[in-house]
Amino acid sequence: MLELITIVAIVLTIAILIVLSLASAKPDTFSVRRSAVMQAPAEAIFPLINNFHQWAKWSPWENKDPAMKRDYSGAETGKGAVYAWDGNKNVGSGRMEILDASSSSKITIKLDFFKPFEGHNTAEFTFVPEREAAATNVIWVMQGPSSFMSKVMQVFMDLDKMIGRDFEAGLANLKTLTEK
């Protein structure tokens, strides 16, 4: 019986060491990027992102918790606009603040998550005119540091795929909304 316990302990120790080794090999930062071409000028898309009150129309997270508490403060739109939320396990809690909103070409957002995991990231929306008349390529990027705990989680799940799926849904919603 003691030999079985020893074998289990050794196997468990090796498994933990493998996971920790794989986690330590992960990069210290992450980046998730998705884009979509919309048959609309940047001037039609930009206000839907530059004003947090408009996010309910397209954000992939807005419908994951109908009882989510929202708080808007700071500027109404653009630099200094703040949006905080507190919701169920599907949306957690956090805060966004627009740091820069450059004339229909780029919006930079400071993104702080508090629950279920703390994280401090940056999100950027870039609007690139396409050759087609009035078409815009909207590029959504989120980047930030990867804590060691985040790296351990990334051994078991694909962060790019998980977050990317939501980005794709949000961009599809923006496309539908702006191409009407």
Side-chain angles (χ1 to χ4, degrees):
M1 182 68 161
L2 188 57
E3 286 180 25
L4 180 60
I5 293 173
T6 303
I7 291 170
V8 169
I10 290 171
V11 169
L12 190 57
T13 301
I14 290 171
I16 290 171
L17 289 174
I18 290 171
V19 168
L20 294 177
S21 176
L22 290 171
S24 67
K26 297 281 183 189
D28 292 332
T29 60
F30 78 94
S31 180
V32 176
R33 175 189 175 104
R34 296 293 187 276
S35 65
V37 174
M38 301 177 195
Q39 299 302 313
E43 295 77 20
I45 306 162
F46 187 86
L48 295 169
I49 300 168
N50 195 43
N51 182 341
F52 288 132
H53 296 271
Q54 299 296 315
W55 283 49
K57 294 178 180 177
W58 65 269
S59 172
W61 299 286
E62 288 292 324
N63 295 324
K64 291 187 177 188
D65 179 7
M68 182 169 61
K69 296 176 186 142
R70 298 165 180 84
D71 182 47
Y72 303 94
S73 61
E76 181 71 19
T77 64
K79 185 175 181 175
V82 175
Y83 171 53
W85 71 93
D86 188 14
N88 63 21
K89 65 180 177 145
N90 295 320
V91 295
S93 68
R95 180 182 186 276
M96 294 189 290
E97 179 178 355
I98 297 178
L99 300 178
D100 186 37
S102 304
S103 63
S104 298
S105 62
K106 187 175 186 178
I107 298 172
T108 303
I109 300 170
K110 178 182 176 198
L111 179 56
D112 296 311
F113 295 103
F114 307 123
K115 292 179 190 174
F117 302 103
E118 187 170 350
H120 305 283
N121 307 310
T122 303
E124 291 180 350
F125 291 86
T126 306
F127 307 86
V128 180
E130 289 288 299
R131 289 183 214 176
E132 301 172 38
T136 306
N137 185 14
V138 179
I139 304 163
W140 187 357
V141 178
M142 183 170 73
Q143 54 199 5
S146 288
S147 67
F148 190 73
M149 195 57 178
S150 172
K151 292 178 185 184
V152 170
M153 289 173 32
Q154 289 177 46
V155 170
F156 300 101
M157 66 177 84
D158 186 341
L159 189 64
D160 183 79
K161 187 183 244 183
M162 188 173 73
I163 295 171
R165 206 174 300 129
D166 287 334
F167 280 18
E168 290 163 7
L171 289 169
N173 292 343
L174 273 171
K175 183 177 177 72
T176 299
L177 192 60
T178 58
E179 292 183 353
K180 285 184 180 176

